[in-house]
């Protein structure tokens, strides 16, 4: 940043200019990595409504996705096409747009059980949970650790685990697949357990063939 005579170099002048400052505003501070040229900037606060749109957009667009798709004419990629957005702060709609979809206050219920729109008056969590449940959507909240072990079971997870254990125990043994349960929990919006069967002649196939089809493709227990 400085030459042998202590004069600021082009690098120092450019660094200051990047922040709208001059070399006179530069200071040298000692850091764990040695002396560093720094600037100190004080900025005023901003409203939550102004800050949130960029934060929310970054959360969606920068989410690591193993299999993302692009649709329409834009460049946005996501797990599935984004059909609508709800983004509220208190009772205000955030000025948020992702792709060609603008945020509003209207969402939709379960696509088979309650396929209709509903409107949210504000950003109240209790109000959101209540509106979702009235439209056959059960929010979960299951949390896992870095190894994929469940730390805090949510409502969908707990319901499925209890019903599966009840149904499987009727056959004398509970073969519990924790990985599949977590996957199914995150796939459904309103869980229901149904018991079915298939012709025993299919058990003549190698076990790995039967189990992989049931688990990987059908998501059956």
């Amino acid at each position: 940043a400085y030459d042998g005579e202590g004069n600021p170099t082009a690098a120092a002048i450019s660094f200051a200019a990047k922040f709208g400052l001059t070399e006179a505003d530069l200071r040298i501070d000692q850091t764990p990595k040695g002396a560093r040229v720094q600037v100190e900037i004080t900025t005023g606060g901003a409203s939550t409504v102004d800050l949130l749109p960029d934060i929310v957009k970054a959360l969606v667009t920068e989410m690591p996705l193993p299999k993302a798709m692009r649709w329409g004419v834009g460049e946005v990629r996501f797990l599935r096409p984004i059909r609508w957005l709800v983004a509220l702060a208190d009772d205000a709609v955030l000025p948020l747009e992702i792709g060609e979809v603008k945020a509003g206050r209207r969402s939709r219920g379960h696509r088979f059980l309650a396929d209709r729109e509903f409107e949210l008056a504000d950003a109240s969590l209790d109000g959101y949970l209540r509106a979702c449940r009235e439209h056959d959507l059960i929010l979960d909240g299951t949390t896992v650790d870095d190894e994929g072990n469940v730390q805090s079971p949510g409502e969908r997870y707990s319901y499925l685990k209890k019903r599966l254990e009840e149904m499987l125990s009727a056959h004398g043994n509970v073969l519990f697949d924790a990985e599949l349960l977590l996957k199914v929990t995150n796939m459904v919006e309103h869980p229901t357990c149904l018991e079915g069967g298939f012709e025993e002649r299919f058990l003549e196939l190698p076990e790995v063939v039967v189990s992989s089809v049931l688990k990987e493709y059908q998501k059956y227990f």
Side-chain angles (χ1 to χ4, degrees), residues 104-170:
R105 62 174 72 251
R106 299 183 69 82
S107 188
R108 294 192 69 89
H110 191 286
R111 67 178 61 195
F112 300 121
L113 302 176
D115 189 16
R116 57 187 182 274
E117 288 188 338
F118 61 91
E119 187 169 295
L120 297 165
D122 54 40
S124 161
L125 177 59
D126 289 339
Y128 180 57
L129 294 173
R130 183 171 59 254
C132 285
R133 181 172 291 281
E134 289 173 353
H135 293 81
D136 291 292
L137 304 173
I138 299 176
L139 303 187
D140 188 59
T142 296
T143 59
V144 297
D145 59 22
D146 293 338
E147 281 73 45
N149 301 309
V150 173
Q151 295 295 295
S152 175
E155 184 177 0
R156 290 199 307 249
Y157 181 92
S158 298
Y159 168 82
L160 286 169
K161 184 174 185 293
K162 179 181 179 181
R163 285 294 295 131
L164 286 168
E165 288 175 341
E166 291 173 350
M167 297 171 77
L168 292 172
S169 63

Side-chain angles (χ1 to χ4, degrees), residues 198-205:
F198 56 86
E199 296 181 30
E200 289 194 13
R201 62 188 179 90
F202 292 118
L203 294 176
E204 298 174 6
L205 295 167

Side-chain angles (χ1 to χ4, degrees), residues 19-219:
F19 301 98
L21 304 173
T22 68
E23 58 271 22
D25 298 307
L26 298 176
R27 72 184 193 192
I28 299 176
D29 281 348
Q30 294 296 328
T31 74
K33 295 184 178 181
R36 291 291 186 271
V37 173
Q38 298 180 343
V39 296
E40 181 174 340
I41 300 174
T42 302
T43 59
S47 72
T48 302
V49 173
D50 292 334
L51 291 171
L52 276 177
D54 288 340
I55 295 173
V56 173
K57 186 172 183 178
L59 286 173
V60 174
T61 58
E62 297 175 13
M63 188 182 299
L65 304 171
K67 293 182 180 180
M69 64 169 68
R70 185 171 65 85
W71 69 98
V73 296
E75 295 299 322
V76 175
R77 302 177 70 88
F78 200 62
L79 289 169
R80 293 289 187 270
I82 299 175
R83 303 300 189 192
W84 71 87
L85 291 169
V86 176
L88 303 171
D90 292 329
D91 58 356
V93 176
L94 295 179
L96 171 66
E97 186 172 347
I98 299 179
E100 296 182 325
V101 182
K102 293 183 178 180
R105 62 174 72 251
R106 299 183 69 82
S107 188
R108 294 192 69 89
H110 191 286
R111 67 178 61 195
F112 300 121
L113 302 176
D115 189 16
R116 57 187 182 274
E117 288 188 338
F118 61 91
E119 187 169 295
L120 297 165
D122 54 40
S124 161
L125 177 59
D126 289 339
Y128 180 57
L129 294 173
R130 183 171 59 254
C132 285
R133 181 172 291 281
E134 289 173 353
H135 293 81
D136 291 292
L137 304 173
I138 299 176
L139 303 187
D140 188 59
T142 296
T143 59
V144 297
D145 59 22
D146 293 338
E147 281 73 45
N149 301 309
V150 173
Q151 295 295 295
S152 175
E155 184 177 0
R156 290 199 307 249
Y157 181 92
S158 298
Y159 168 82
L160 286 169
K161 184 174 185 293
K162 179 181 179 181
R163 285 294 295 131
L164 286 168
E165 288 175 341
E166 291 173 350
M167 297 171 77
L168 292 172
S169 63
H171 299 280
N173 191 19
V174 176
L175 299 176
F176 189 72
D177 192 322
E179 179 186 14
L180 180 58
L181 174 57
L182 189 59
K183 183 178 293 186
V184 171
T185 296
N186 291 325
M187 289 177 62
V188 301
E189 297 170 316
H190 191 111
T192 303
C193 293
L194 299 174
E195 184 172 353
F198 56 86
E199 296 181 30
E200 289 194 13
R201 62 188 179 90
F202 292 118
L203 294 176
E204 298 174 6
L205 295 167
E207 181 181 349
V208 66
V209 174
V210 178
S211 61
S212 64
V213 169
L214 293 178
K215 176 180 176 179
E216 299 299 331
Y217 297 101
Q218 304 294 340
K219 306 297 186 291

